[in-house]
Amino acid sequence: MNSAIRRLAVAAIVLMLALMANSTYLQAFKANDINGRNDNRRVRDAQFSIDRGPILIGNIPIAESKESNDQYKFLRTYTAGPEYAPVTGYYSFLYGRLGIELNQNSQLNGSDPSLAFRRVVDVITNRDQQGAAVSLTLNAKAQMAAYRGLAGKKGAAVAIDPKTGKILALVSRPSYDPNELASHDLNKVGASWKKFTEDPNKPMSNRAARELFPPGSTFKLVTTAAALSSGRYNPDTKVRSPAQLPLPQTTTPLMNENKLNCGGSDNATLTVALRNSCNTAFGSVGLELGADALREQAEKFGFGERQLPELGAVASQFPADPNPPQTAQSAIGQFDVQATPLQMAMVAAGIANKGDVMKPYLVESVRTADLKTVSETKPESLHQAVTPEVASQLTQMMVDVVENGTGKPGRIGGVQVAGKTGTAQTAKDRPPFAWFTAFAPAEDPQVAVAVMIEDANVPRDDIAGGKLAAPIAKSVMEAVLGR
Amino acid sequence: MSIASTSVIQIIPRTRRGVELMLLIIAIAVSVAAYVNIGLTVQNKVPASTGYYAAGIGLLALIAHMALRYRAPYADPVILPCAVLLNGLGVAMIHRVDLGLKAAAEAAGTKARGPAAPQQITWTAVGIILFLVVILVVRDHRRLQAFTYTAGLVGLVLLVLPLVPGLGADINGAKIWIRLAGMSFQPGEFAKLCLVIFFAGYLVVKRDVLTLAGHRFLGLDLPRARDLGPILIAWGVSLGVLIFEKDLGSSLLFFGLFLFLLYVATERAGWLIIGGLLFAGGAFVAAQIFSHVQKRVSDWLDPFHEVGGQVSTALMGQAWGGLLGRGLGQGRPEIAPLRFYGQSDFIISSFGEELGLTGLIAIILVYTLIIERGLRTALGCRDIFGKLLATGLAMSFALQVFVIVGGVTGLIPLTGLTTPFMALGGTALIANWAIIALVLRISDQARRPQTPAAPVSDETIAMAVQKQ
């Protein structure tokens, strides 16, 4: 009998070992998976009760957790909510996270592996887990200038430091107040969410990075870059520029905005064509270069790939397989060409940085609560879009646009500005999109900017990129240059 | 096989009551520390009820200890402290979930249910009283053999009691409760004790017949077909429990115990195979037919398929606890939909969340100690009835712990068995204290010197200790 009892004793141990092994699998190996589940209320509640790190510009917090005496220990507070909402996003109990709050979540809540040592110290010294501070590249003055400039309008502005790719300003209007979503009064949060999501003006759309618009004539910079890079053109090359350009396979000709030829000539130089933003000239250049060359050039500026992972920006597009008339339309930024204001700012920034497009980024550095640097973003080159020679030719042409052409409202006294206007028609019954993209100073660029106005609430004939968007771009550049 | 050929382990006759007292003090200290810790983290103060709790658990443990000292001096010294520790930690966790439920009710503006921890201490007291009764009244476990068939009958009656109309209560789909005078009881907990006595007494008599070999098949001695009667009856009864009371856990427990004892009595592995196949077949058919079994199986295969399921919420709690746990009082064991199940069926998940993998494994090891000390008692016991009884009681803990802990941690489908000594519930606690008393009574006999101890040299002691 004893041998049977001994066997049962072994069997009992095996049963207990199975329990221990299963619990080990669950609590040691599978725990991360389970903790990461969306329906895990414990984790969500707990995250809402930890001292989440601030989001900073310089040393000034634009989002921080303040102690609160309600069901959670901390209330996420946004000091200039709507102004920075497209960047910070929100941190909501009911609706999760967005923007930097989403992308930098593990740093902000302190759970990131890079903060593991910090956490151990916190445990030993019996302190509550503290999140790290995330410093952004934004320039508060530029952000303010863009936000004020777009007041009362529907649109977006993005400013980039062309030499590094740092995002200096990123604004989308109309905006929303993330404080309303971070509130601990969950009924109010629900009502605000409904208000924001049902508003026809879509205040929660990030027009700067997550929405696509026809770039219109600002895309002519890409067409010009492709032309100059092909070796078959220089700034003085004469191109066909009649008032109407007949297109193959269609009876509808391409027409200039003013229904005249280009600067008084049917064969204007590329420089003159850009100065006056002549559709027929760039349509014919586009036809000669072909869609593939245009697409390749566009991709070198960053089209076709998602930029700025911090905000999950969408990829700008050049149509996949346009026929010749569609190619001509695409060359002037119409048809199916779609771009974010961020992308058009990158085009200007690439030209400004001698053709080297820097990878745009928003997170300057991550620091622990006691100001030790955890990580710092190093500038990275994305693509060499054009050669330095072509970049310098383009710069000269863009300076000419601002000094003598459609971009005059973008001029800054004492500083040479290089820019390009755009006015994209989409449908007869909706106002066109007004664009302006520029950089300054032309000889040593400190800032590249793109401004897009979707709906300015002004009479239709008043709309032109130069008149509407350029002054805003100008004030953003002035803010960066300290003027 | 006869008694003569059964090896009896040589045990050095020492009472070890001093060791037991030391272990008891540690068990009480750990429990009280847990209780105070919970008060400090949840309410920022030493709970006012600490005195009541410490005195309650401490005094009861010491009374049990004194009873052993005077009436069963050679009883195993490890089992009582282990049971006290589990009981004490259980009450502490019940108190912790009480606090959590109270806070949740305050936040929601509703009225909290009264605290369950004082109730559990009262049940502990009743349990210890029954413990004393068993130790004092049952002076020799062999006397229980006379009640073999009475115990069997009582066990069966207790088993079917919840099916009596007007008496039984349906809780969570399982009909294993009865309501009497405004209180709920789980008669199955005492049925377990009665049935083990019955199985042991019955097998002592029938083991020789059941040992007769029938056919040899694949190297196994299969029993004769005409001897299959008892196992088929046990199988039928346990299937009845499964079908009519919808309680897979109890069904598995009763049938498993019978099988284990049959195996120990006959040493024929063939019985295990036949029994295992019978149970697997029954469970498989049940899983095809009954929706409540199907639900348990699908919850086991994919615990996260529904948001806010009990098992998934419990697993999230354990994951949240990780290696070291959130700390006592710092988890969310009362989170919906677990709520007060965090102190009953899912109490082990509550420990997993707050004490982490480390604490959970420690608790499982304490259970393992009780089980293995119980089986050790069976090895040392000199009579067959006692061997079978001790084996059955020890294995009842093993099966119960495996089924309920395995169920809430997702190892096997969840079935409703109580977590011995820890889970909130009076009947189970009292029955478990009676079982522990019986095991200790047998161990007293097993460890007691048969003849007045002859003086032994240190060398023999050393050799015997090694042999152990």
Side-chain angles (χ1 to χ4, degrees), chain B residues 29-108:
Chain B
V30 169
S31 306
V32 174
Y35 198 81
V36 172
N37 185 349
I38 287 163
L40 285 176
T41 34
V42 179
Q43 302 171 309
N44 280 322
K45 58 170 193 204
V46 176
S49 50
T50 304
Y52 174 66
Y53 170 82
I57 299 287
L59 213 62
L60 291 170
L62 289 179
I63 290 172
H65 169 72
M66 294 314 278
L68 291 182
R69 206 172 259 275
Y70 291 107
R71 290 296 180 205
Y74 288 95
D76 187 291
V78 179
I79 294 179
L80 179 66
C82 285
V84 167
L85 177 63
L86 293 172
N87 197 153
L89 285 177
V91 177
M93 182 53 79
I94 290 167
H95 171 62
R96 188 265 169 276
V97 176
D98 278 345
L99 294 179
L101 288 170
K102 192 168 149 231
E106 273 165 13

Side-chain angles (χ1 to χ4, degrees), chain A residues 11-283:
Chain A
I13 291 213
V14 168
L15 290 183
M16 297 302 119
L17 281 177
L19 291 179
M20 293 186 231
N22 178 60
S23 295
T24 306
Y25 170 66
L26 181 66
Q27 294 189 243
F29 297 100
K30 243 184 114 189
N32 270 345
D33 273 9
I34 297 177
N35 287 339
R37 292 183 60 87
N38 271 334
D39 54 350
N40 197 326
R41 231 187 89 193
R42 283 183 180 83
V43 174
R44 198 175 48 174
D45 286 2
Q47 304 262 304
F48 232 70
S49 282
I50 62 170
D51 191 357
R52 193 172 170 83
I55 301 174
L56 305 170
I57 293 181
N59 287 320
I60 317 251
I62 53 171
E64 62 186 321
S65 288
K66 292 190 173 156
E67 283 196 39
S68 71
N69 290 319
D70 49 18
Q71 71 268 42
Y72 301 110
K73 278 206 245 162
F74 296 96
L75 177 67
R76 197 66 170 165
T77 312
Y78 302 86
T79 34
E83 182 180 338
Y84 288 100
V87 176
T88 57
Y90 55 79
Y91 183 67
S92 167
F93 185 83
L94 292 179
Y95 301 104
R97 304 170 282 257
L98 194 70
I100 291 290
E101 296 277 27
L102 173 67
N103 179 259
Q104 296 293 308
N105 186 45
S106 63
Q107 303 282 10
L108 291 168
N109 72 23
S111 69
D112 196 80
S114 63
L115 299 169
F117 176 71
R118 188 68 245 163
R119 274 203 307 283
V120 171
V121 173
D122 284 349
V123 166
I124 292 169
T125 56
N126 200 20
R127 277 197 316 199
D128 284 342
Q129 180 175 323
Q130 248 185 327
V134 172
S135 275
L136 301 184
T137 56
L138 292 180
N139 174 319
K141 284 181 187 159
Q143 181 82 5
M144 172 77 82
Y147 187 70
R148 288 202 176 143
L150 286 165
K153 303 182 174 74
K154 237 197 233 180
V158 175
I160 302 180
D161 175 351
K163 291 174 180 164
T164 55
K166 287 181 188 179
I167 302 284
L168 301 174
L170 193 145
V171 169
S172 174
R173 288 198 86 156
S175 190
Y176 65 100
D177 188 351
N179 287 308
E180 290 188 40
L181 298 179
S183 163
H184 291 175
D185 183 338
L186 300 185
N187 290 330
K188 275 193 192 163
V189 171
S192 295
W193 178 264
K194 199 165 138 69
K195 179 180 74 185
F196 294 151
T197 49
E198 289 177 3
D199 185 336
N201 288 325
K202 298 187 179 168
M204 286 178 72
S205 298
N206 187 340
R207 293 171 167 83
R210 289 169 61 88
E211 300 278 326
L212 291 168
F213 305 93
S217 303
T218 53
F219 190 78
K220 287 171 185 164
L221 292 175
V222 177
T223 306
T224 310
L228 296 174
S229 298
S230 71
R232 288 145 62 190
Y233 296 84
N234 63 50
D236 299 325
T237 308
K238 293 196 167 171
V239 295
R240 282 176 64 204
S241 57
Q244 292 197 357
L245 180 72
L247 296 177
Q249 301 172 12
T250 173
T251 52
T252 315
L254 192 63
M255 291 180 23
N256 283 335
E257 204 62 11
N258 55 9
K259 306 198 172 61
L260 302 171
N261 64 11
C262 193
S265 161
D266 280 358
N267 287 293
T269 62
L270 260 186
T271 303
V272 170
L274 196 72
R275 180 191 303 154
N276 297 309
S277 196
C278 302
N279 290 344
T280 55
F282 288 96

Side-chain angles (χ1 to χ4, degrees), chain A residues 290-301:
Chain A
D292 289 344
L294 292 177
R295 189 182 312 101
E296 261 171 48
Q297 184 62 63
E299 283 172 359
K300 282 184 186 167
F301 278 112

Side-chain angles (χ1 to χ4, degrees), chain A residues 2-3 7 22 42 45, chain B residues 7 263 267 313 332 353 387:
Chain A
N2 277 359
S3 61
R7 272 185 218 119
N22 178 60
R42 283 183 180 83
D45 286 2
Chain B
S7 64
Y263 169 63
E267 296 203 302
T313 308
R332 309 277 306 277
E353 178 170 357
K387 274 184 187 301

Side-chain angles (χ1 to χ4, degrees), chain B residues 57-230:
Chain B
I57 299 287
L59 213 62
L60 291 170
L62 289 179
I63 290 172
H65 169 72
M66 294 314 278
L68 291 182
R69 206 172 259 275
Y70 291 107
R71 290 296 180 205
Y74 288 95
D76 187 291
V78 179
I79 294 179
L80 179 66
C82 285
V84 167
L85 177 63
L86 293 172
N87 197 153
L89 285 177
V91 177
M93 182 53 79
I94 290 167
H95 171 62
R96 188 265 169 276
V97 176
D98 278 345
L99 294 179
L101 288 170
K102 192 168 149 231
E106 273 165 13
T110 54
K111 203 174 161 345
R113 193 195 57 170
Q119 203 182 321
Q120 184 79 347
I121 294 181
T122 309
W123 288 124
T124 307
V126 179
I128 295 289
I129 290 171
L130 195 60
F131 176 93
L132 296 180
V133 169
V134 172
I135 293 290
L136 298 179
V137 172
V138 185
R139 303 294 288 272
D140 186 339
H141 65 265
R142 280 168 296 192
R143 289 211 208 143
L144 292 175
Q145 202 178 338
F147 299 102
T148 298
Y149 288 93
T150 318
L153 190 67
V154 172
L156 266 181
V157 168
L158 287 174
L159 211 50
V160 296
L161 218 47
L163 295 176
V164 176
L167 199 58
D170 192 326
I171 298 180
N172 288 326
K175 290 180 182 155
I176 51 174
W177 295 80
I178 57 166
R179 274 192 214 286
L180 210 61
M183 299 211 274
S184 306
F185 300 96
Q186 263 186 299
E189 293 292 338
F190 278 100
K192 182 173 64 187
L193 180 57
C194 294
L195 288 176
V196 170
I197 294 174
F198 168 69
F199 293 156
Y202 172 82
L203 289 169
V204 168
V205 180
K206 298 285 179 182
R207 59 192 285 261
D208 289 333
V209 181
L210 296 171
T211 310
L212 289 178
H215 300 284
R216 240 184 117 71
F217 181 70
L218 291 176
L220 283 170
D221 287 322
L222 293 180
R224 296 184 305 180
R226 72 170 94 146
D227 296 329
L228 285 173

